Amino acid sequence: MSEIKKFMYVNRKAPYGTIYAWEALEVVLIGAAFEQDVSLAFMDDGVYQLIKGQDTTGIGMKNFSPTYSALGDYEITKIYVEKESLEERGLTLDDLQHLVWEDEDEDWAEKDSIRLVSRSELADVLATQDVLFNF
Amino acid sequence: MGSIEANGKSYETDEEGYLADLNSWDKDVAEVMANLDDCELTDNHWEVINFLREYYEEYQIAPAVRVLTKAIGKKLGKDKGNSKYLYELFPYGPAKQACKYAGLPKPTGCV
Amino acid sequence: MAMLHLVNKSPYDACSLDTASSIMQGDDSLLLIEDGVYAAVKGGKAAARLEGLKISVLGPDLAARGIGKDKLIDGVTVVDYAGFVDMVEANDKVQSWL
């Protein structure tokens, strides 16, 4: 692959009611091996995936929420969260995990991965992508 | 499904020899798995194996080889965070082989 | 004749909460499970649908989704699996809005 493409994964489903969220995460991690310019967007019920403090011991399912913290290691540094979706659900950025990536070129300085965007800003981001994957 | 014997104990594995249950892992089974591959585990091997177990504990995934290399470099120094060093330790592929000895599932993103 | 209504879908993704809440009457109660629990989050648009209804949510499903009890609207009862069974027993019928 000679040319770097902009890959965007759009996540719109809650984490445990369906398999979409976990499948998306696996595809993202596998796709990271292709070293493209990857972004993630969380909108609609997808914002629920990033809520902090998830504890699945009572429902007997794998808690994959810690895996989102590994995205930085996979050089995924652009995670867009849609503001309207959070507000509609009674959530704020404080309810979400604090996701960071470490900049190797700046002595592993921690930088925020999550970018809070409005729907129209997200539309602009989506418009610039080469490939969109929807989950 | 298969199984591995170590120290009189039986450990269930999948068809590729990865442990079926992460929690059944111990150092004995790691040694036996390595011996089956004609590999003798040294302190350098254990450093990587222990690192992988900690990584899984924290993130619930086994890292892809590129991620492993970078993370090892950060934790153990540049002389160890390169694929030459890791492939010398684990010639069948650092992520795949070391994950197996660490009792983890096959890495996500292992293509 | 009291009925227990079960909703297991997110109110932002399915219309089952709308249907259930508008069909409930008398002593009926609503138990939110799985993705249905998101409806009881304070400040969410869906919370308005729950006004005046007898609401319970399943605790293990809340915990799995990282929703603390402090995030819930007032007047909601959190039950465990045993409480779920008690509710089924206490009602004449169960309507599951899948």
Side-chain angles (χ1 to χ4, degrees), chain C residues 46-74:
Chain C
R49 304 290 310 176
L50 304 179
E51 262 172 48
L53 302 176
K54 252 199 293 183
I55 315 286
S56 301
V57 292
L58 193 58
D61 283 331
L62 275 182
R65 289 161 179 79
I67 310 283
K69 288 176 190 172
D70 56 312
K71 293 289 293 175
L72 301 180
I73 51 173
D74 295 334

Side-chain angles (χ1 to χ4, degrees), chain A residues 22-96:
Chain A
W22 171 240
E23 295 266 297
L25 202 43
E26 288 210 298
V27 172
V28 167
L29 296 175
I30 292 165
F34 298 108
E35 305 198 17
Q36 302 294 318
D37 179 9
V38 175
S39 306
L40 267 59
F42 292 87
M43 61 189 302
D44 295 342
D45 278 359
V47 298
Y48 289 135
Q49 293 178 31
L50 299 179
I51 290 183
K52 63 184 172 197
Q54 296 176 31
D55 175 4
T56 58
T57 42
I59 63 166
M61 289 175 78
K62 180 188 169 92
N63 177 5
F64 53 86
S65 67
T67 306
Y68 294 102
S69 304
L71 290 170
D73 293 347
Y74 283 76
E75 285 161 28
I76 294 167
T77 61
K78 297 183 290 282
I79 298 178
Y80 298 93
V81 174
E82 198 209 52
K83 201 159 146 267
E84 285 87 337
S85 297
L86 279 179
E87 282 171 359
E88 192 183 33
R89 287 162 180 75
L91 302 173
T92 67
L93 215 43
D94 286 341
D95 295 309
L96 306 186

Side-chain angles (χ1 to χ4, degrees), chain C residues 16-84:
Chain C
S16 47
L17 181 75
D18 284 342
T19 308
S21 59
S22 56
I23 233 166
M24 283 173 68
Q25 54 182 24
D27 285 332
D28 287 4
S29 43
L30 176 64
L31 175 60
L32 302 170
I33 62 171
E34 299 166 16
D35 287 348
V37 304
Y38 292 124
V41 174
K42 207 181 342 190
K45 259 189 185 169
R49 304 290 310 176
L50 304 179
E51 262 172 48
L53 302 176
K54 252 199 293 183
I55 315 286
S56 301
V57 292
L58 193 58
D61 283 331
L62 275 182
R65 289 161 179 79
I67 310 283
K69 288 176 190 172
D70 56 312
K71 293 289 293 175
L72 301 180
I73 51 173
D74 295 334
V76 171
T77 312
V78 178
V79 298
D80 56 12
Y81 289 112
F84 187 164

Side-chain angles (χ1 to χ4, degrees), chain B residues 44-65:
Chain B
N44 287 338
H45 290 94
W46 281 112
E47 229 171 27
V48 177
I49 292 170
N50 290 329
F51 177 86
L52 281 169
R53 287 192 63 85
E54 284 161 24
Y55 195 94
Y56 193 90
E57 178 68 29
E58 183 168 0
Y59 299 115
Q60 299 297 305
I61 48 163
V65 64

